[in-house]
Amino acid sequence: MIDSENTAVTGRSPCPVSCSLDLLGDKWTLLVVRDLLLGKKTYTEFLKSPEGIPTNLLAERLKRLQAAGIVDKSRYQERPVRHAYHLTEKGRDLRPVLLAMINWGNKYIPGTVTRAQIAAMAPHLVEGE
Amino acid sequence: MIDSENTAVTGRSPCPVSCSLDLLGDKWTLLVVRDLLLGKKTYTEFLKSPEGIPTNLLAERLKRLQAAGIVDKSRYQERPVRHAYHLTEKGRDLRPVLLAMINWGNKYIPGTVTRAQIAAMAPHLVEGE
DNA sequence: TTTAGTAGCTTGCAATATGCAAGTGACTAT
DNA sequence: ATAGTCACTTGCATATTGCAAGCTACTAAA
């Protein structure tokens, strides 16, 4: 495992929950990860998600996720220049966290889109496990 | 399942991840849940956790968690009056979210306390899946 | 060759949330 | 009477968020 972007404990405590929250603990970061797991790739695609992330926060979160080695960015075409964001292995490994939230949300927040409904639209997020 | 405290979707979107984050998406709430899963029960025990939650935020988070039906509060003794907080089933069902974060943190943030070390101190958080 | 449009941002600023310290009220123990 | 603990609340400075507007590079249409 390459360790370059895996910052060692610098946060509030050496608890893995606390350290994860130092990186991911806000209302937007994991929604960006969700969108990436759903196959969205570009800045404007993220902006179109129904929660409506403010554009400055999207830019800032993408930078932090890149700095943390969770996301990487590439040009996928020149003329006109277009960029694509992708999850690294470290980012894809957040899938169990999101799946646990989906299961919990479905069980306790009536009206949420179910895991089955998500599977129908976006099999790769939810299948297996 | 009693449904009284399970507020239906009122948030940013009907996505279960987004709805979960509306409730839990900050740097402190899931640390309180962690402490409860570790068996801590009182206000002052939560304050002693190494991350050092500010006392006003602890009070506010406990109220929100109670309002959401994730935590309940009881007097466990009179003379002097003492209070204990406990997770409800809804709260205990957040365990998979925390376990997923522990696994991810252990894999990607060097120096975090491992699941095995946690198991040695607090078997009930971590044992079984 | 102006004009309009899209992608991917940045900037400014008001509103909200957080962090810190100090204070409060009920109680007990000395 | 004094000190100490538990469980908070209050005030205020600082940090983060949310909203709107602007900006740069590019393309496509008139």
Side-chain angles (χ1 to χ4, degrees):
Chain A
M1 197 217 299
I2 299 161
D3 214 282
S4 49
E5 272 120 351
N6 294 345
T7 334
V9 279
T10 55
R12 296 173 288 174
S13 86
C15 169
V17 177
S18 149
C19 290
S20 300
L21 291 173
D22 286 338
L23 218 62
L24 308 168
D26 64 64
K27 299 221 185 308
W28 294 111
T29 303
L30 284 175
L31 289 183
V32 175
V33 174
R34 173 204 64 185
D35 283 352
L36 285 158
L37 282 167
L38 287 168
K40 295 186 184 176
K41 288 173 184 28
T42 66
Y43 196 85
T44 36
E45 282 179 300
F46 303 137
L47 283 179
K48 283 177 198 150
S49 288
E51 294 84 9
I53 187 171
T55 170
N56 55 337
L57 293 186
L58 176 58
E60 197 259 338
R61 293 303 192 275
L62 285 169
K63 270 177 202 161
R64 282 189 12 201
L65 288 169
Q66 285 175 81
I70 289 169
V71 158
D72 68 345
K73 184 184 181 178
S74 58
R75 296 193 165 199
Y76 70 92
Q77 86 175 26
E78 314 283 332
R79 339 215 41 93
V81 168
R82 291 291 179 264
H83 307 96
Y85 292 92
H86 295 278
L87 291 172
T88 61
E89 190 206 347
K90 185 175 179 180
R92 287 189 298 276
D93 276 347
L94 287 169
R95 210 176 63 121
V97 176
L98 293 188
L99 286 178
M101 283 192 184
I102 291 170
N103 290 336
W104 187 85
N106 284 169
K107 184 164 179 187
Y108 291 107
I109 310 171
T112 51
V113 175
T114 63
R115 185 163 166 171
Q117 293 171 316
I118 297 166
M121 303 167 19
H124 42 303
L125 203 174
V126 119
E127 79 193 355
E129 155 65 353
Chain B
M1 199 219 297
I2 299 160
D3 215 280
S4 49
E5 271 119 350
N6 295 345
T7 335
V9 280
T10 54
R12 297 172 288 174
S13 85
C15 168
V17 177
S18 148
C19 289
S20 300
L21 290 173
D22 287 338
L23 218 62
L24 309 168
D26 64 65
K27 298 221 185 308
W28 295 111
T29 303
L30 285 175
L31 289 183
V32 175
V33 174
R34 174 205 63 182
D35 282 352
L36 286 158
L37 282 167
L38 287 168
K40 295 186 185 175
K41 289 172 183 28
T42 66
Y43 197 84
T44 36
E45 282 179 301
F46 303 138
L47 284 179
K48 283 176 196 150
S49 287
E51 294 83 10
I53 186 170
T55 170
N56 55 337
L57 293 187
L58 176 58
E60 197 259 338
R61 293 303 193 275
L62 285 169
K63 270 177 201 160
R64 282 186 15 199
L65 288 169
Q66 283 176 82
I70 289 169
V71 158
D72 68 346
K73 184 183 180 178
S74 58
R75 297 192 164 200
Y76 70 92
Q77 89 177 22
E78 313 285 331
R79 344 212 36 92
V81 168
R82 291 291 178 263
H83 307 96
Y85 293 92
H86 295 277
L87 291 171
T88 61
E89 190 204 347
K90 186 176 179 180
R92 287 189 298 274
D93 275 348
L94 287 168
R95 209 176 64 122
V97 175
L98 293 188
L99 286 178
M101 284 191 182
I102 291 171
N103 290 336
W104 187 85
N106 284 169
K107 185 165 180 187
Y108 292 107
I109 310 173
T112 51
V113 176
T114 63
R115 186 163 165 170
Q117 292 172 315
I118 297 166
M121 304 166 18
H124 42 302
L125 202 174
V126 118
E127 79 194 354
E129 159 39 354

